[in-house]
Amino acid sequence: MSRITITSAFDSGNIEVLSVAGGEATLAIRRDHDSQFFQWFHFRVSGAFDVPLTLRITGLRESAYPLGWRNYRACVSEDRQCWTRAETGWDEASGTLTIRHAPTSDNVWFAYFAPYSYERHQDLIARMGGREGVEYRSLGQSPRGRPIDCLAMGEGDFRVWLFARQHPGEAMAEWWMEGVLESLTDPADPVSRELRRRCRLHLVPNANPDGSVMGHLRTNAVGVNLNREWAEPSPERSPEIVALRDAIDTSGVDFAMDVHGDEAIAAVFMAGFDGIPSLKADQTEGYRRYLSILERRTTDFQTRLGYPTAPPGKANLTMATNQLAERHGCVSMTLEMPFKDHDPQPDAKQGWSPERSKLLGRNCLAALLEWLEAVS
């Protein structure tokens, strides 16, 4: 039996190899740079043809979200196009995740979720930025000089901001954004034609490009959780949020969605802005009405599971959704998709997937248009 090799020396890669013996390996996840967060992994196993693999990722009791490993199944691909789920077991006592897979080719990739590479991001910006009626601009730069890419479109007065991947390991957020952009730039899509007539839409597919490339779960290149920077962002710690918040302040905003993934809850859900100091009844009504519309439109969304709401006046204003709702009086929300599966409508082969993320994006747009009918 030839010795397998394991590497993560590529875009968004993350793993440390502790030992390899035959088809078995002991591994660990590298922490985000200058941070204690870790949960994202992405690596390639080579020389694996016809070798039953047993891969043990250790030390996970100290990971960012240990509850995220319960009933979790790792993503696996042999062509980096189709991602399915591998047989996966979790030993809570030892903090070890064991992945078992029998590859049918020499190379196989494993990841916490189907990755959305920075090269694919570049292709997305090139493809969508070149379509009719789409305007590109860079809002600013990350600590390592990568642009904060923004695409804008639409002729209407209703101001919409959609942004994703403040937390870089939540790759499903950019898959969602790809689905939204494909829909909005499709001249045959009647929903998108009407949205572009009524709205001015601003889309930021990746608000944390450094962390995405570095294989981080939650932070940027200097170890900062960007979704805790919205109250007082700084050029030194969080230039990404300085750029994004300033752009939103300049344009104004009526509807905002911050797109994320959740490690522990096996469902798609939304988090709102309950508890902001200046909460208005029409904001609450608008938020709840949007959730009701989306839940009716797709079984890949539900409102039973989610986060607890903040008491009156106790909202965390360092988070985007709360800060924007307080700052602009808009309807804002955080969309959360699972790393596991959407248990109300499970998929045994893929779990939650890039394909479902993209379809959810389209449904979110359709819900927005229906929601606007009552606003107009």
Side-chain angles (χ1 to χ4, degrees), residues 179-200:
V180 166
L181 282 164
E182 287 177 348
S183 179
L184 284 173
T185 58
D186 181 355
D189 188 319
V191 168
S192 294
R193 287 203 310 271
E194 184 64 13
L195 282 174
R196 289 177 65 160
R197 186 185 72 82
R198 294 186 180 207
C199 302
R200 181 64 174 171

Side-chain angles (χ1 to χ4, degrees), residues 32 42 57 60 65 76 94 117 124 155 167 172 189 207 216 237 258 275 282 297-298 342:
D32 290 6
H42 180 199
I57 305 179
L60 298 182
Y65 303 98
V76 60
S94 66
S117 73
L124 180 70
E155 300 78 39
H167 296 152
M172 62 284 289
D189 188 319
H216 285 190
R237 287 172 49 83
D258 179 17
D282 62 338
R297 296 194 71 97
T298 175
H342 179 67

Side-chain angles (χ1 to χ4, degrees), residues 1-6 19-25 45 47 51-55:
M1 179 185 295
S2 62
R3 186 177 186 273
I4 64 170
T5 59
I6 301 174
S19 67
V20 176
E24 300 194 9
V45 181
V51 178
L53 297 175
T54 300
L55 310 171

